[in-house]
Amino acid sequence: MYLSTLLFLILNFYIVAPDCGCDVSRTDGDEHCDTKGENLYTKESNELPIEDNNNTWYTGFEKMVLIKRADFEMGTNEPVFENDFEDPVRNVTVGSFYLDIYEVSNKDFKIFVEATGYKTEAEVFGDSFIFEQLITEEERESLKDFRAVQAPWWVKMKGVTWMHPEGPESNILDRMDHPVIHVSWNDAVAFCKHLGKRLPTEAEWEMGCRGGLRQRLYPWGNKLNAKDKHWANLWQGNFPETNTAEDGFMATAPVTEFPPNRFGLYNMAGNVWEWTQDTWTSNKALRVKKGGSYLCHRSYCWRYRCAARSHNTRDTSAGNLGFRCAANVPYEIY
Ligand SMILES: [Ca+2]
Ligand SMILES: [Ca+2]
């Protein structure tokens, strides 16, 4: 049952024709058609080799897709955040690997904790970072001195853990299908390892995000609200004052929400940031995260693009940061 559904999903998204190739200007915000890069948008250019993929989808793991060895264009030549080293475009060959279809959910993480007794770093340290609008006015007032200097809308709050995302009085009972949050890079590695998996490399993650499309901004193309729809859980309104939640979600959304990309992957952009294996610099404490979150808005954090990247220290946890796992294939598939 599961396999046939998965096959249907994957094949269905593999035969979706590319869109018209209209682009969103990075300078004026207007939509226009990109004539320079028109070869990027031809059907042939974005055709996926369906005939090569007939018998290799089964992973041995649940809820994962096989992404076959291929070259892809990583990064962008039009960086939005130069200090993030988004550029240049480079051809990268990525070997075959499996990637979780969904972000790891609270339910997944609970099963892991029950099996292992694992304690997250937020539990050990006794606190985690939370977006101030998700707590009460009184709590906000009492936590003034614990605001992040560069981003004062983040506060460090005691008793915040994956089970109590807004403090000791909160719980996740009605959010078991939402992504687990307040998990550090070390926690994510422990979870994946327990299942015989690992974190994706940044290149694997970005290849997954692009879903076989060349040099598009988002997993679904270049238009943020193509077909007048919301394709990801982001921030609508004025950041950080007003979140209209036009996409239906003020904070996290279930990991199964919003349309998947052509690889069948959900929420690669938005919902929660996702840890990757890679280091940001030679400092091993800093790890790359990808995809942006429900707090990202173009005016402030246009990092829900596939090429965008950011980082945190590997023991950091926050209310908009989660992960998904990757896994090695048992043999190289060409
Ligand atoms: Ca939202
Ligand atoms: Ca995500």
Side-chain angles (χ1 to χ4, degrees), residues 116-272:
T116 61
Y118 185 83
K119 288 256 180 277
T120 60
E121 293 199 278
E123 290 170 276
V124 173
F125 290 132
D127 52 39
S128 187
F129 282 94
I130 183 165
F131 184 64
E132 66 164 15
Q133 285 190 18
L134 298 176
I135 57 178
T136 64
E137 194 73 48
E138 296 78 52
E139 285 171 325
R140 233 179 281 171
E141 190 59 28
S142 70
L143 292 167
K144 283 202 294 211
D145 296 340
F146 297 91
R147 291 179 297 193
V149 178
Q150 303 279 331
W153 43 86
W154 283 107
V155 291
K156 196 170 170 184
M157 187 173 173
K158 285 199 188 314
V160 169
T161 68
W162 71 275
M163 286 176 290
H164 305 288
E166 293 86 37
E169 303 303 316
S170 64
N171 65 60
I172 52 171
L173 295 179
D174 62 351
R175 285 179 275 177
M176 295 309 287
D177 57 350
H178 286 224
V180 65
I181 50 177
H182 301 297
V183 282
S184 68
W185 184 89
N186 293 319
D187 299 331
V189 167
F191 174 95
C192 294
K193 198 172 168 190
H194 174 69
L195 295 177
K197 303 182 185 181
R198 58 177 175 75
L199 283 179
T201 64
E202 182 180 3
E204 287 172 337
W205 192 97
E206 188 168 326
M207 187 179 178
C209 183
R210 294 183 180 283
L213 297 174
R214 290 178 61 206
Q215 286 296 299
R216 306 291 181 91
L217 293 171
Y218 311 119
W220 56 88
N222 278 333
K223 282 183 78 172
L224 181 60
N225 297 119
K227 299 177 185 168
D228 291 327
K229 279 173 49 175
H230 287 285
W231 295 76
N233 182 13
L234 305 169
W235 178 289
Q236 293 88 40
N238 298 317
F239 185 87
E241 295 85 18
T242 320
N243 185 354
T244 64
E246 193 185 280
D247 58 22
F249 301 95
M250 285 287 283
T252 56
V255 298
T256 51
E257 281 288 334
F258 299 96
N261 74 0
R262 301 202 312 171
F263 283 170
L265 301 167
Y266 288 72
N267 292 301
M268 294 299 284
N271 211 19
V272 289

Side-chain angles (χ1 to χ4, degrees), residues 83-94:
N83 292 340
D84 287 354
F85 314 110
E86 297 172 359
D87 62 324
V89 171
R90 59 270 188 205
N91 283 313
V92 175
T93 304
V94 176

